[in-house]
Amino acid sequence: MGNEMLLLLSGAASIAFVHTLLGPDHYLPFVAVGKARGWSVPKTGLVTLLCGLGHSVGSIVLGLIGVFAGRALADLVEIEAFRGDLAAWSLLAFGLVYFAWGMKKTVRGKKHTHWHTHADGTRHRHEHDHWTQHMHVHSSGEGAALQETKGLRALRMRIFAPWALFIVFVLGPCEPLIPLMMVPAAQGNIAGVMLTVAVFTAVTVLTMLVVVLLSSWGLRSVSFGGVEKYSHVIAGGTISLCAFGMLAFGL
């Protein structure tokens, strides 16, 4: 391996590290959603790993098309820019949906007291919230149906959150990767292209994993007291702010 190739690979590793670290959208959504949903550290790491790989695959495929089809670098960069905008708007939509769902869950979770008068004149009061719904002992069938509906809603959100993150990250480009790929491609060095891709992808995913796992591990034992009930709202707001940073400042 020549000195030029070693220089390119070290440059690819450095750029991947800095690019990932300076882009909070690469790790904050996983930390926020993982904390809000109570994911274990290994599960948070697995979701991050899959999203990180998906994040790189799109740019790799596009870059390889450019290498073998002879597409101009300017055209590929333009496509990557479009993908970047699409990913940012998708992340913003996901963040706002998650924020709204978190607000709804928080409001419905607030407990309050009601008085009820039965047919025999007996009065009683009870404390309940509008998330779990009030169930009387004489309406267990209705109560079971409401509990089932609540369970389905929770299941949909459990499935929606990781898949939404994965889709957003597949859409998101690794902007510096394609220009790096084109350097060995211009010399007809296909092995060099593959090595550059491997190094850039490995460093990107590893940086994401390290930041997410350390942050998740640190937050695991932290209790936020009364703020805990707003965890989904905070997660949605964090994701929305990351997306806004991408759109406004190109992070």
Side-chain angles (χ1 to χ4, degrees):
M1 186 181 297
N3 291 333
E4 289 185 2
M5 195 64 213
L6 286 174
L7 186 61
L8 175 63
L9 294 179
S10 62
S14 301
I15 292 171
F17 176 74
V18 173
H19 167 73
T20 304
L21 208 58
L22 292 181
D25 56 293
H26 286 79
Y27 44 86
L28 281 183
F30 303 104
V31 176
V33 174
K35 177 63 177 176
R37 303 214 60 80
W39 289 350
S40 65
V41 174
K43 179 175 180 178
T44 305
L46 178 60
V47 173
T48 304
L49 173 63
L50 295 176
C51 289
L53 292 174
H55 178 56
S56 302
V57 164
S59 293
I60 293 171
V61 171
L62 185 61
L64 290 176
I65 291 173
V67 169
F68 292 107
R71 291 290 299 273
L73 177 59
D75 292 338
L76 298 179
V77 170
E78 188 176 337
I79 295 173
E80 286 288 82
F82 171 76
R83 290 180 62 221
D85 290 341
L86 182 61
W89 284 108
S90 299
L91 188 64
L92 180 61
F94 170 59
L96 292 175
V97 168
Y98 200 94
F99 178 86
W101 179 83
M103 285 293 293
K104 182 178 180 181
K105 181 177 175 65
T106 301
V107 170
R108 286 189 171 184
K110 288 184 177 179
K111 293 187 176 182
H112 50 276
T113 301
H114 282 296
W115 281 95
H116 285 275
T117 303
H118 292 271
D120 59 1
T122 304
R123 297 190 73 214
H124 76 97
R125 66 178 183 176
H126 68 94
E127 189 179 62
H128 79 123
D129 59 69
H130 287 292
W131 186 256
T132 56
Q133 302 290 339
H134 173 53
M135 292 180 291
H136 291 286
V137 293
H138 52 75
S139 59
S140 58
E142 181 184 354
L146 290 170
Q147 285 292 334
E148 183 179 356
T149 300
K150 177 195 170 188
L152 288 174
R153 287 173 182 165
L155 178 61
R156 283 198 296 266
M157 185 52 69
R158 282 200 300 271
I159 295 172
F160 170 73
W163 272 107
L165 282 173
F166 180 75
I167 291 170
V168 168
F169 271 78
V170 169
L171 291 175
C174 285
E175 293 92 342
L177 179 56
I178 290 180
L180 288 168
M181 292 173 65
M182 291 303 173
V183 174
Q187 302 169 353
N189 186 357
I190 301 303
V193 173
M194 297 305 176
L195 275 174
T196 302
V197 166
V199 169
F200 189 94
T201 302
V203 173
T204 297
V205 174
L206 185 60
T207 304
M208 289 174 63
L209 279 172
V210 169
V211 176
V212 169
L213 291 178
L214 287 178
S215 301
S216 299
W217 184 271
L219 289 174
R220 191 178 63 164
S221 58
V222 176
S223 175
F224 294 97
V227 183
E228 197 77 29
K229 61 184 177 182
Y230 299 104
S231 59
H232 295 293
V233 177
I234 294 171
T238 300
I239 294 169
S240 300
L241 285 175
C242 284
F244 179 77
M246 293 169 66
L247 290 167
F249 308 109
L251 296 177

